[in-house]
Amino acid sequence: LAAAYLLYRAARELFHKDAALITTVLFCIHPIIIFSSIEVRPYAFAVLAENAVIFVLFRLRKDDSNRLAAVLGILAAAILYFRVLFVVLMPALAICFLVFKINDRKTLWRQAGVAAGAFTVAFLPLVTILAYMFRTGKSHSFADAPGLRDIVWTIAPGLLAVIMAAVYLGAAATRRLKKQSLERWSLVCCASLALVPLLILFLVSTATPL
C-alpha cells in the first residue's frame, strides 16, 4: 500500500489525477507486484524503496535543495540493501536527473555531487556483497536466459495489453478520451524507467554467463 501511494504521488508529478490513478491500478494488478507483495522476502521493501526514489526524483525537478538531493542518494542506496540486483535502476535514474537539470548546469553538478556522495557513503557496506556476487555469478543462475517474449510479458503480462487497448478504443468511441500532450522530458523519463532496467537485465542474461 505504501509503494502504491508513493507511485501515485510520483505519477501526479507527471500526469493528471485520472492518469495517475490508472498508473497505480496497473501497478497493483501486475503479477510481479502481486508476487512481491505476498512473499515474505525483501522484494516488497525493494519496490517501496524504488517508488520512494522515483517520487523524490520527480520532486527534484522543481527543487534545487541539496537536502533533497542527499535524500535521493540515500534512498537509491537503500534499494540495494533489499536487492543488490536492482542496481540496474540506477542508469535510468541518472537519465531522468540529467533530463530534469540539463538546462541548469550549475544546479545539475551541485545536486549530482551531493546525491552521488550520499549514495557512495550509504553504499559502502555493500561493496563486499557485490564483489561476492560477481565472483560467484554462475552459481546464482536458476533459469534459462530470457527471450524477447519474456520482455513483452514483463511489460504487459497476460491480457493486460488487450484490456488496455479495449479500454482505449472504448473511450475513443464514446468520445470520453481526452488527449493530454506530454512534454518530451516526461516521455523520456517514463521510457527510461520502464525499459533501461529491463534491457540491462536482458543483455546481461543473454550476452554473459551471469
Side-chain angles (χ1 to χ4, degrees), residues 112-148:
V114 172
F119 175 85
T120 301
V121 172
F123 178 75
L124 283 177
L126 296 175
V127 172
T128 54
I129 297 176
L130 191 62
Y132 170 77
M133 288 187 66
F134 274 106
R135 288 198 309 269
T136 60
K138 293 183 179 180
S139 64
H140 296 294
S141 300
F142 62 90
D144 296 329
L148 293 176

PDB file of all heavy atoms in Angstrom, residues 112-148:
ATOM      1  N   ALA A 112      24.013  16.698  -8.334  1.00  0.00           N
ATOM      2  CA  ALA A 112      24.548  15.385  -8.711  1.00  0.00           C
ATOM      3  C   ALA A 112      25.686  14.990  -7.774  1.00  0.00           C
ATOM      4  O   ALA A 112      25.794  13.825  -7.358  1.00  0.00           O
ATOM      5  CB  ALA A 112      25.028  15.405 -10.154  1.00  0.00           C
ATOM      6  N   GLY A 113      26.533  15.955  -7.420  1.00  0.00           N
ATOM      7  CA  GLY A 113      27.623  15.673  -6.494  1.00  0.00           C
ATOM      8  C   GLY A 113      27.126  15.288  -5.119  1.00  0.00           C
ATOM      9  O   GLY A 113      27.634  14.344  -4.492  1.00  0.00           O
ATOM     10  N   VAL A 114      26.116  16.008  -4.634  1.00  0.00           N
ATOM     11  CA  VAL A 114      25.547  15.708  -3.315  1.00  0.00           C
ATOM     12  C   VAL A 114      24.895  14.327  -3.323  1.00  0.00           C
ATOM     13  O   VAL A 114      25.106  13.512  -2.404  1.00  0.00           O
ATOM     14  CB  VAL A 114      24.519  16.784  -2.920  1.00  0.00           C
ATOM     15  CG1 VAL A 114      23.775  16.371  -1.651  1.00  0.00           C
ATOM     16  CG2 VAL A 114      25.206  18.127  -2.708  1.00  0.00           C
ATOM     17  N   ALA A 115      24.108  14.048  -4.356  1.00  0.00           N
ATOM     18  CA  ALA A 115      23.431  12.752  -4.444  1.00  0.00           C
ATOM     19  C   ALA A 115      24.442  11.612  -4.565  1.00  0.00           C
ATOM     20  O   ALA A 115      24.302  10.570  -3.903  1.00  0.00           O
ATOM     21  CB  ALA A 115      22.473  12.741  -5.635  1.00  0.00           C
ATOM     22  N   ALA A 116      25.472  11.797  -5.399  1.00  0.00           N
ATOM     23  CA  ALA A 116      26.486  10.757  -5.576  1.00  0.00           C
ATOM     24  C   ALA A 116      27.272  10.531  -4.290  1.00  0.00           C
ATOM     25  O   ALA A 116      27.593   9.384  -3.936  1.00  0.00           O
ATOM     26  CB  ALA A 116      27.429  11.139  -6.717  1.00  0.00           C
ATOM     27  N   GLY A 117      27.579  11.615  -3.570  1.00  0.00           N
ATOM     28  CA  GLY A 117      28.298  11.470  -2.309  1.00  0.00           C
ATOM     29  C   GLY A 117      27.489  10.721  -1.275  1.00  0.00           C
ATOM     30  O   GLY A 117      28.004   9.811  -0.598  1.00  0.00           O
ATOM     31  N   ALA A 118      26.207  11.078  -1.150  1.00  0.00           N
ATOM     32  CA  ALA A 118      25.339  10.395  -0.188  1.00  0.00           C
ATOM     33  C   ALA A 118      25.163   8.926  -0.565  1.00  0.00           C
ATOM     34  O   ALA A 118      25.174   8.037   0.299  1.00  0.00           O
ATOM     35  CB  ALA A 118      23.982  11.096  -0.124  1.00  0.00           C
ATOM     36  N   PHE A 119      25.026   8.663  -1.855  1.00  0.00           N
ATOM     37  CA  PHE A 119      24.874   7.288  -2.329  1.00  0.00           C
ATOM     38  C   PHE A 119      26.127   6.469  -2.017  1.00  0.00           C
ATOM     39  O   PHE A 119      26.038   5.326  -1.533  1.00  0.00           O
ATOM     40  CB  PHE A 119      24.606   7.272  -3.831  1.00  0.00           C
ATOM     41  CG  PHE A 119      24.556   5.897  -4.429  1.00  0.00           C
ATOM     42  CD1 PHE A 119      23.387   5.159  -4.404  1.00  0.00           C
ATOM     43  CD2 PHE A 119      25.683   5.336  -5.007  1.00  0.00           C
ATOM     44  CE1 PHE A 119      23.337   3.880  -4.959  1.00  0.00           C
ATOM     45  CE2 PHE A 119      25.651   4.069  -5.549  1.00  0.00           C
ATOM     46  CZ  PHE A 119      24.479   3.342  -5.530  1.00  0.00           C
ATOM     47  N   THR A 120      27.293   7.042  -2.278  1.00  0.00           N
ATOM     48  CA  THR A 120      28.552   6.327  -2.058  1.00  0.00           C
ATOM     49  C   THR A 120      28.733   5.953  -0.597  1.00  0.00           C
ATOM     50  O   THR A 120      29.090   4.809  -0.263  1.00  0.00           O
ATOM     51  CB  THR A 120      29.735   7.184  -2.529  1.00  0.00           C
ATOM     52  OG1 THR A 120      29.570   7.493  -3.923  1.00  0.00           O
ATOM     53  CG2 THR A 120      31.046   6.456  -2.314  1.00  0.00           C
ATOM     54  N   VAL A 121      28.483   6.904   0.304  1.00  0.00           N
ATOM     55  CA  VAL A 121      28.637   6.634   1.731  1.00  0.00           C
ATOM     56  C   VAL A 121      27.659   5.550   2.187  1.00  0.00           C
ATOM     57  O   VAL A 121      28.027   4.623   2.920  1.00  0.00           O
ATOM     58  CB  VAL A 121      28.418   7.923   2.549  1.00  0.00           C
ATOM     59  CG1 VAL A 121      28.380   7.609   4.042  1.00  0.00           C
ATOM     60  CG2 VAL A 121      29.516   8.932   2.247  1.00  0.00           C
ATOM     61  N   ALA A 122      26.412   5.646   1.739  1.00  0.00           N
ATOM     62  CA  ALA A 122      25.406   4.664   2.151  1.00  0.00           C
ATOM     63  C   ALA A 122      25.656   3.296   1.515  1.00  0.00           C
ATOM     64  O   ALA A 122      25.265   2.265   2.073  1.00  0.00           O
ATOM     65  CB  ALA A 122      24.004   5.164   1.775  1.00  0.00           C
ATOM     66  N   PHE A 123      26.325   3.282   0.359  1.00  0.00           N
ATOM     67  CA  PHE A 123      26.532   2.035  -0.385  1.00  0.00           C
ATOM     68  C   PHE A 123      27.766   1.262   0.085  1.00  0.00           C
ATOM     69  O   PHE A 123      27.865   0.053  -0.144  1.00  0.00           O
ATOM     70  CB  PHE A 123      26.666   2.352  -1.875  1.00  0.00           C
ATOM     71  CG  PHE A 123      26.940   1.159  -2.740  1.00  0.00           C
ATOM     72  CD1 PHE A 123      25.927   0.262  -3.038  1.00  0.00           C
ATOM     73  CD2 PHE A 123      28.205   0.923  -3.248  1.00  0.00           C
ATOM     74  CE1 PHE A 123      26.165  -0.844  -3.832  1.00  0.00           C
ATOM     75  CE2 PHE A 123      28.464  -0.178  -4.041  1.00  0.00           C
ATOM     76  CZ  PHE A 123      27.442  -1.067  -4.341  1.00  0.00           C
ATOM     77  N   LEU A 124      28.690   1.913   0.753  1.00  0.00           N
ATOM     78  CA  LEU A 124      29.976   1.289   1.109  1.00  0.00           C
ATOM     79  C   LEU A 124      29.852  -0.079   1.775  1.00  0.00           C
ATOM     80  O   LEU A 124      30.604  -1.004   1.432  1.00  0.00           O
ATOM     81  CB  LEU A 124      30.781   2.248   2.001  1.00  0.00           C
ATOM     82  CG  LEU A 124      31.456   3.416   1.269  1.00  0.00           C
ATOM     83  CD1 LEU A 124      32.143   4.320   2.279  1.00  0.00           C
ATOM     84  CD2 LEU A 124      32.449   2.900   0.236  1.00  0.00           C
ATOM     85  N   PRO A 125      28.924  -0.269   2.732  1.00  0.00           N
ATOM     86  CA  PRO A 125      28.833  -1.598   3.361  1.00  0.00           C
ATOM     87  C   PRO A 125      28.457  -2.719   2.391  1.00  0.00           C
ATOM     88  O   PRO A 125      28.624  -3.902   2.719  1.00  0.00           O
ATOM     89  CB  PRO A 125      27.732  -1.409   4.426  1.00  0.00           C
ATOM     90  CG  PRO A 125      27.732   0.057   4.704  1.00  0.00           C
ATOM     91  CD  PRO A 125      28.040   0.703   3.397  1.00  0.00           C
ATOM     92  N   LEU A 126      27.947  -2.393   1.213  1.00  0.00           N
ATOM     93  CA  LEU A 126      27.501  -3.414   0.264  1.00  0.00           C
ATOM     94  C   LEU A 126      28.580  -3.813  -0.733  1.00  0.00           C
ATOM     95  O   LEU A 126      28.354  -4.717  -1.541  1.00  0.00           O
ATOM     96  CB  LEU A 126      26.274  -2.905  -0.509  1.00  0.00           C
ATOM     97  CG  LEU A 126      25.013  -2.649   0.304  1.00  0.00           C
ATOM     98  CD1 LEU A 126      23.939  -2.036  -0.571  1.00  0.00           C
ATOM     99  CD2 LEU A 126      24.496  -3.939   0.926  1.00  0.00           C
ATOM    100  N   VAL A 127      29.723  -3.160  -0.708  1.00  0.00           N
ATOM    101  CA  VAL A 127      30.762  -3.423  -1.708  1.00  0.00           C
ATOM    102  C   VAL A 127      31.213  -4.878  -1.656  1.00  0.00           C
ATOM    103  O   VAL A 127      31.360  -5.532  -2.698  1.00  0.00           O
ATOM    104  CB  VAL A 127      31.960  -2.475  -1.496  1.00  0.00           C
ATOM    105  CG1 VAL A 127      33.122  -2.879  -2.398  1.00  0.00           C
ATOM    106  CG2 VAL A 127      31.553  -1.040  -1.800  1.00  0.00           C
ATOM    107  N   THR A 128      31.422  -5.422  -0.468  1.00  0.00           N
ATOM    108  CA  THR A 128      31.881  -6.808  -0.358  1.00  0.00           C
ATOM    109  C   THR A 128      30.827  -7.794  -0.867  1.00  0.00           C
ATOM    110  O   THR A 128      31.163  -8.801  -1.488  1.00  0.00           O
ATOM    111  CB  THR A 128      32.227  -7.137   1.106  1.00  0.00           C
ATOM    112  OG1 THR A 128      31.095  -6.834   1.937  1.00  0.00           O
ATOM    113  CG2 THR A 128      33.412  -6.305   1.570  1.00  0.00           C
ATOM    114  N   ILE A 129      29.552  -7.479  -0.621  1.00  0.00           N
ATOM    115  CA  ILE A 129      28.471  -8.360  -1.098  1.00  0.00           C
ATOM    116  C   ILE A 129      28.416  -8.338  -2.618  1.00  0.00           C
ATOM    117  O   ILE A 129      28.262  -9.375  -3.276  1.00  0.00           O
ATOM    118  CB  ILE A 129      27.121  -7.916  -0.506  1.00  0.00           C
ATOM    119  CG1 ILE A 129      27.140  -8.059   1.014  1.00  0.00           C
ATOM    120  CG2 ILE A 129      25.976  -8.742  -1.101  1.00  0.00           C
ATOM    121  CD1 ILE A 129      25.880  -7.553   1.681  1.00  0.00           C
ATOM    122  N   LEU A 130      28.560  -7.152  -3.209  1.00  0.00           N
ATOM    123  CA  LEU A 130      28.533  -7.028  -4.662  1.00  0.00           C
ATOM    124  C   LEU A 130      29.717  -7.765  -5.288  1.00  0.00           C
ATOM    125  O   LEU A 130      29.564  -8.457  -6.300  1.00  0.00           O
ATOM    126  CB  LEU A 130      28.556  -5.550  -5.052  1.00  0.00           C
ATOM    127  CG  LEU A 130      28.264  -5.224  -6.506  1.00  0.00           C
ATOM    128  CD1 LEU A 130      26.861  -5.673  -6.886  1.00  0.00           C
ATOM    129  CD2 LEU A 130      28.429  -3.735  -6.773  1.00  0.00           C
ATOM    130  N   ALA A 131      30.887  -7.642  -4.679  1.00  0.00           N
ATOM    131  CA  ALA A 131      32.071  -8.340  -5.182  1.00  0.00           C
ATOM    132  C   ALA A 131      31.877  -9.846  -5.115  1.00  0.00           C
ATOM    133  O   ALA A 131      32.259 -10.591  -6.034  1.00  0.00           O
ATOM    134  CB  ALA A 131      33.295  -7.914  -4.384  1.00  0.00           C
ATOM    135  N   TYR A 132      31.264 -10.323  -4.037  1.00  0.00           N
ATOM    136  CA  TYR A 132      31.000 -11.753  -3.898  1.00  0.00           C
ATOM    137  C   TYR A 132      30.054 -12.246  -4.990  1.00  0.00           C
ATOM    138  O   TYR A 132      30.248 -13.326  -5.562  1.00  0.00           O
ATOM    139  CB  TYR A 132      30.398 -12.029  -2.526  1.00  0.00           C
ATOM    140  CG  TYR A 132      29.864 -13.433  -2.357  1.00  0.00           C
ATOM    141  CD1 TYR A 132      30.725 -14.505  -2.139  1.00  0.00           C
ATOM    142  CD2 TYR A 132      28.497 -13.682  -2.428  1.00  0.00           C
ATOM    143  CE1 TYR A 132      30.242 -15.793  -1.988  1.00  0.00           C
ATOM    144  CE2 TYR A 132      27.997 -14.965  -2.285  1.00  0.00           C
ATOM    145  CZ  TYR A 132      28.868 -16.009  -2.067  1.00  0.00           C
ATOM    146  OH  TYR A 132      28.383 -17.284  -1.936  1.00  0.00           O
ATOM    147  N   MET A 133      29.041 -11.459  -5.317  1.00  0.00           N
ATOM    148  CA  MET A 133      28.089 -11.861  -6.349  1.00  0.00           C
ATOM    149  C   MET A 133      28.772 -11.977  -7.705  1.00  0.00           C
ATOM    150  O   MET A 133      28.478 -12.878  -8.495  1.00  0.00           O
ATOM    151  CB  MET A 133      26.925 -10.865  -6.412  1.00  0.00           C
ATOM    152  CG  MET A 133      25.976 -10.948  -5.242  1.00  0.00           C
ATOM    153  SD  MET A 133      24.523  -9.898  -5.466  1.00  0.00           S
ATOM    154  CE  MET A 133      23.750 -10.706  -6.862  1.00  0.00           C
ATOM    155  N   PHE A 134      29.678 -11.060  -8.006  1.00  0.00           N
ATOM    156  CA  PHE A 134      30.377 -11.121  -9.285  1.00  0.00           C
ATOM    157  C   PHE A 134      31.314 -12.336  -9.345  1.00  0.00           C
ATOM    158  O   PHE A 134      31.467 -12.956 -10.394  1.00  0.00           O
ATOM    159  CB  PHE A 134      31.167  -9.834  -9.518  1.00  0.00           C
ATOM    160  CG  PHE A 134      30.350  -8.744 -10.147  1.00  0.00           C
ATOM    161  CD1 PHE A 134      29.928  -7.655  -9.400  1.00  0.00           C
ATOM    162  CD2 PHE A 134      29.990  -8.805 -11.481  1.00  0.00           C
ATOM    163  CE1 PHE A 134      29.156  -6.652  -9.968  1.00  0.00           C
ATOM    164  CE2 PHE A 134      29.230  -7.813 -12.067  1.00  0.00           C
ATOM    165  CZ  PHE A 134      28.813  -6.733 -11.314  1.00  0.00           C
ATOM    166  N   ARG A 135      31.944 -12.671  -8.220  1.00  0.00           N
ATOM    167  CA  ARG A 135      32.862 -13.814  -8.202  1.00  0.00           C
ATOM    168  C   ARG A 135      32.118 -15.135  -8.339  1.00  0.00           C
ATOM    169  O   ARG A 135      32.649 -16.101  -8.868  1.00  0.00           O
ATOM    170  CB  ARG A 135      33.667 -13.826  -6.900  1.00  0.00           C
ATOM    171  CG  ARG A 135      34.726 -12.746  -6.802  1.00  0.00           C
ATOM    172  CD  ARG A 135      35.745 -13.110  -5.725  1.00  0.00           C
ATOM    173  NE  ARG A 135      35.097 -13.444  -4.463  1.00  0.00           N
ATOM    174  CZ  ARG A 135      34.840 -12.554  -3.500  1.00  0.00           C
ATOM    175  NH1 ARG A 135      35.157 -11.286  -3.671  1.00  0.00           N
ATOM    176  NH2 ARG A 135      34.258 -12.931  -2.374  1.00  0.00           N
ATOM    177  N   THR A 136      30.889 -15.180  -7.850  1.00  0.00           N
ATOM    178  CA  THR A 136      30.128 -16.435  -7.842  1.00  0.00           C
ATOM    179  C   THR A 136      28.893 -16.325  -8.728  1.00  0.00           C
ATOM    180  O   THR A 136      27.867 -16.922  -8.438  1.00  0.00           O
ATOM    181  CB  THR A 136      29.717 -16.786  -6.405  1.00  0.00           C
ATOM    182  OG1 THR A 136      28.891 -15.717  -5.877  1.00  0.00           O
ATOM    183  CG2 THR A 136      30.931 -16.946  -5.513  1.00  0.00           C
ATOM    184  N   GLY A 137      28.985 -15.537  -9.797  1.00  0.00           N
ATOM    185  CA  GLY A 137      27.820 -15.252 -10.638  1.00  0.00           C
ATOM    186  C   GLY A 137      27.137 -16.491 -11.186  1.00  0.00           C
ATOM    187  O   GLY A 137      25.915 -16.594 -11.196  1.00  0.00           O
ATOM    188  N   LYS A 138      27.935 -17.482 -11.643  1.00  0.00           N
ATOM    189  CA  LYS A 138      27.331 -18.660 -12.270  1.00  0.00           C
ATOM    190  C   LYS A 138      26.511 -19.480 -11.286  1.00  0.00           C
ATOM    191  O   LYS A 138      25.551 -20.128 -11.671  1.00  0.00           O
ATOM    192  CB  LYS A 138      28.422 -19.519 -12.897  1.00  0.00           C
ATOM    193  CG  LYS A 138      29.107 -18.864 -14.088  1.00  0.00           C
ATOM    194  CD  LYS A 138      30.128 -19.795 -14.712  1.00  0.00           C
ATOM    195  CE  LYS A 138      30.790 -19.141 -15.915  1.00  0.00           C
ATOM    196  NZ  LYS A 138      31.797 -20.032 -16.551  1.00  0.00           N
ATOM    197  N   SER A 139      26.895 -19.466 -10.022  1.00  0.00           N
ATOM    198  CA  SER A 139      26.195 -20.290  -9.038  1.00  0.00           C
ATOM    199  C   SER A 139      24.837 -19.719  -8.661  1.00  0.00           C
ATOM    200  O   SER A 139      24.036 -20.400  -8.025  1.00  0.00           O
ATOM    201  CB  SER A 139      27.049 -20.434  -7.775  1.00  0.00           C
ATOM    202  OG  SER A 139      27.228 -19.173  -7.147  1.00  0.00           O
ATOM    203  N   HIS A 140      24.552 -18.471  -9.048  1.00  0.00           N
ATOM    204  CA  HIS A 140      23.269 -17.866  -8.699  1.00  0.00           C
ATOM    205  C   HIS A 140      22.205 -18.083  -9.778  1.00  0.00           C
ATOM    206  O   HIS A 140      21.059 -17.704  -9.605  1.00  0.00           O
ATOM    207  CB  HIS A 140      23.432 -16.357  -8.463  1.00  0.00           C
ATOM    208  CG  HIS A 140      24.320 -16.045  -7.301  1.00  0.00           C
ATOM    209  ND1 HIS A 140      23.998 -16.352  -6.003  1.00  0.00           N
ATOM    210  CD2 HIS A 140      25.545 -15.453  -7.241  1.00  0.00           C
ATOM    211  CE1 HIS A 140      24.961 -15.967  -5.188  1.00  0.00           C
ATOM    212  NE2 HIS A 140      25.926 -15.424  -5.918  1.00  0.00           N
ATOM    213  N   SER A 141      22.590 -18.671 -10.912  1.00  0.00           N
ATOM    214  CA  SER A 141      21.637 -18.866 -12.011  1.00  0.00           C
ATOM    215  C   SER A 141      20.667 -19.995 -11.657  1.00  0.00           C
ATOM    216  O   SER A 141      21.066 -21.031 -11.132  1.00  0.00           O
ATOM    217  CB  SER A 141      22.386 -19.200 -13.302  1.00  0.00           C
ATOM    218  OG  SER A 141      23.260 -18.153 -13.656  1.00  0.00           O
ATOM    219  N   PHE A 142      19.395 -19.786 -11.975  1.00  0.00           N
ATOM    220  CA  PHE A 142      18.403 -20.822 -11.697  1.00  0.00           C
ATOM    221  C   PHE A 142      17.412 -20.976 -12.851  1.00  0.00           C
ATOM    222  O   PHE A 142      16.462 -21.737 -12.751  1.00  0.00           O
ATOM    223  CB  PHE A 142      17.629 -20.488 -10.414  1.00  0.00           C
ATOM    224  CG  PHE A 142      16.848 -19.204 -10.483  1.00  0.00           C
ATOM    225  CD1 PHE A 142      15.539 -19.195 -10.923  1.00  0.00           C
ATOM    226  CD2 PHE A 142      17.434 -17.998 -10.129  1.00  0.00           C
ATOM    227  CE1 PHE A 142      14.821 -18.020 -10.991  1.00  0.00           C
ATOM    228  CE2 PHE A 142      16.721 -16.825 -10.177  1.00  0.00           C
ATOM    229  CZ  PHE A 142      15.417 -16.830 -10.617  1.00  0.00           C
ATOM    230  N   ALA A 143      17.611 -20.265 -13.959  1.00  0.00           N
ATOM    231  CA  ALA A 143      16.686 -20.345 -15.081  1.00  0.00           C
ATOM    232  C   ALA A 143      17.453 -20.108 -16.368  1.00  0.00           C
ATOM    233  O   ALA A 143      18.586 -19.618 -16.370  1.00  0.00           O
ATOM    234  CB  ALA A 143      15.570 -19.311 -14.938  1.00  0.00           C
ATOM    235  N   ASP A 144      16.830 -20.467 -17.473  1.00  0.00           N
ATOM    236  CA  ASP A 144      17.438 -20.219 -18.787  1.00  0.00           C
ATOM    237  C   ASP A 144      17.438 -18.733 -19.090  1.00  0.00           C
ATOM    238  O   ASP A 144      16.670 -17.958 -18.515  1.00  0.00           O
ATOM    239  CB  ASP A 144      16.665 -20.967 -19.870  1.00  0.00           C
ATOM    240  CG  ASP A 144      16.752 -22.478 -19.689  1.00  0.00           C
ATOM    241  OD1 ASP A 144      17.789 -22.937 -19.175  1.00  0.00           O
ATOM    242  OD2 ASP A 144      15.788 -23.165 -20.070  1.00  0.00           O
ATOM    243  N   ALA A 145      18.288 -18.339 -20.025  1.00  0.00           N
ATOM    244  CA  ALA A 145      18.327 -16.932 -20.448  1.00  0.00           C
ATOM    245  C   ALA A 145      16.982 -16.539 -21.050  1.00  0.00           C
ATOM    246  O   ALA A 145      16.338 -17.341 -21.735  1.00  0.00           O
ATOM    247  CB  ALA A 145      19.439 -16.728 -21.463  1.00  0.00           C
ATOM    248  N   PRO A 146      16.525 -15.321 -20.808  1.00  0.00           N
ATOM    249  CA  PRO A 146      15.218 -14.899 -21.317  1.00  0.00           C
ATOM    250  C   PRO A 146      15.238 -14.638 -22.817  1.00  0.00           C
ATOM    251  O   PRO A 146      16.292 -14.431 -23.422  1.00  0.00           O
ATOM    252  CB  PRO A 146      14.955 -13.594 -20.547  1.00  0.00           C
ATOM    253  CG  PRO A 146      16.336 -13.052 -20.294  1.00  0.00           C
ATOM    254  CD  PRO A 146      17.198 -14.251 -20.046  1.00  0.00           C
ATOM    255  N   GLY A 147      14.047 -14.636 -23.401  1.00  0.00           N
ATOM    256  CA  GLY A 147      13.883 -14.289 -24.813  1.00  0.00           C
ATOM    257  C   GLY A 147      13.069 -13.019 -24.947  1.00  0.00           C
ATOM    258  O   GLY A 147      12.644 -12.423 -23.939  1.00  0.00           O
ATOM    259  N   LEU A 148      12.829 -12.606 -26.166  1.00  0.00           N
ATOM    260  CA  LEU A 148      12.060 -11.386 -26.396  1.00  0.00           C
ATOM    261  C   LEU A 148      10.643 -11.505 -25.852  1.00  0.00           C
ATOM    262  O   LEU A 148      10.058 -10.529 -25.388  1.00  0.00           O
ATOM    263  CB  LEU A 148      12.015 -11.067 -27.897  1.00  0.00           C
ATOM    264  CG  LEU A 148      13.358 -10.669 -28.535  1.00  0.00           C
ATOM    265  CD1 LEU A 148      13.191 -10.471 -30.030  1.00  0.00           C
ATOM    266  CD2 LEU A 148      13.874  -9.392 -27.894  1.00  0.00           C
TER     267      LEU A 148
END
